[in-house]
Amino acid sequence: MKKTLLAAALALTAIPAFASDDAMSAAPADLAAGTMLGTDTAAITEALTALGYDVRKVGSDDGMLEAYVVKDRYMAEVYINPKTGEIVRVGGDD
């Protein structure tokens, strides 16, 4: 009986945790592909800060500019085309 109650309690607590993790892994609309941020570190930092993100680092990797950002509990790597200044993709907090 105790094992059954424990298993049921664990199952019920796990469901909301998975739901919130899925919700947190989706990129916010303000980081959609095509959003213009800029082509240099200062412009990217300014644009992301204006959107409410804490910019932890901006650098380059494999020909892309890459910004590490945090907003509330969401953390992401934002990949930016260095020629156009547009977001190419966003890697969420996995």
Side-chain angles (χ1 to χ4, degrees):
M1 178 70 173
K2 288 183 183 179
K3 288 182 183 178
T4 304
L5 290 175
L6 178 60
L10 289 174
L12 290 175
T13 59
I15 293 169
F18 289 127
S20 64
D21 287 346
D22 289 343
M24 293 303 293
S25 65
D30 57 3
L31 294 181
T35 301
M36 295 294 290
L37 296 179
T39 57
D40 61 61
T41 302
I44 291 167
T45 301
E46 183 178 335
L48 289 168
T49 301
L51 292 172
Y53 290 91
D54 179 19
V55 180
R56 301 292 171 94
K57 178 182 173 183
V58 177
S60 61
D61 187 31
D62 294 330
M64 292 288 197
L65 293 169
E66 186 176 35
Y68 294 87
V69 298
V70 177
K71 184 177 186 180
D72 300 322
R73 292 179 45 213
Y74 180 77
M75 297 187 317
E77 296 175 35
V78 182
Y79 297 91
I80 303 128
N81 182 318
K83 292 183 181 358
T84 65
E86 293 179 337
I87 294 177
V88 175
R89 68 182 166 93
V90 177
D93 180 20
D94 297 330

